Amino acid sequence: MRGNAEGLTKRQLLPATTVTRSRELRQNAGEPERRLWRALRESSPILKFRRQVPIGPYHADFCSHAARLIVEIDGDDHAVKSESDAARTRFLKHEGYDVIRFANADVMTNLDGVVAAIGVRIAHRQKGRP
């Protein structure tokens, strides 16, 4: 059976505003997010990263359900939001995801290095898996 006891999937259980917010976040993505999105699609098409994925009360910038990996791009404002970022990371880890964070500047100046670091994390997580 797909979904819960009533046959509803996780997406169907989300408030209507969540899907609207995800679409809005994708449409208004910043340049670092657009660059990383293109790079992930080119370098890891098998992993099928998705953008602005609602997970609980949060929206993950990039998520590969297959690799159970979330990639977050942190803007300048994240320096003052370290406590909320830590709570967010704890929640996502509790949901079974590994979280890797990069600053906007890293994505803009070293995109190849960021993609390589994501590849290393995926390889480490999938070690021993077929």
Side-chain angles (χ1 to χ4, degrees):
M1 179 170 107
R2 184 178 174 150
N4 64 8
E6 290 83 35
L8 298 174
T9 63
K10 284 185 178 183
R11 182 174 179 169
Q12 290 169 327
L13 292 170
L14 292 172
T17 57
T18 302
V19 175
T20 304
R21 178 75 176 136
S22 293
R23 287 181 184 142
E24 179 182 297
L25 289 169
R26 284 191 296 269
Q27 291 170 353
N28 297 323
E31 185 60 27
E33 287 183 11
R34 286 195 295 270
R35 283 188 186 189
L36 185 56
W37 175 240
R38 281 190 300 271
L40 288 174
R41 289 184 58 178
E42 291 171 6
S43 68
S44 306
I46 294 170
L47 293 176
K48 297 185 180 180
F49 274 93
R50 294 175 52 212
R51 298 183 296 160
Q52 300 302 336
V53 179
I55 299 176
Y58 304 106
H59 284 82
D61 289 340
F62 301 96
C63 178
S64 171
H65 293 296
R68 303 296 289 174
L69 178 68
I70 290 175
V71 179
E72 290 288 320
I73 307 299
D74 294 341
D76 298 335
D77 61 333
H78 284 266
V80 295
K81 297 191 317 185
S82 60
E83 287 182 28
S84 63
D85 282 349
R88 175 188 181 106
T89 299
R90 277 192 305 277
F91 175 84
L92 296 171
K93 285 184 180 252
H94 184 264
E95 292 293 309
Y97 290 91
D98 190 15
V99 179
I100 186 170
R101 292 181 173 278
F102 298 99
N104 279 349
D106 293 336
V107 175
M108 296 301 286
T109 60
N110 187 18
L111 184 59
D112 291 336
V114 168
V115 171
I118 293 169
V120 167
R121 184 69 66 98
I122 290 169
H124 176 72
R125 283 196 53 86
Q126 293 183 336
K127 189 174 184 178
R129 292 186 193 169

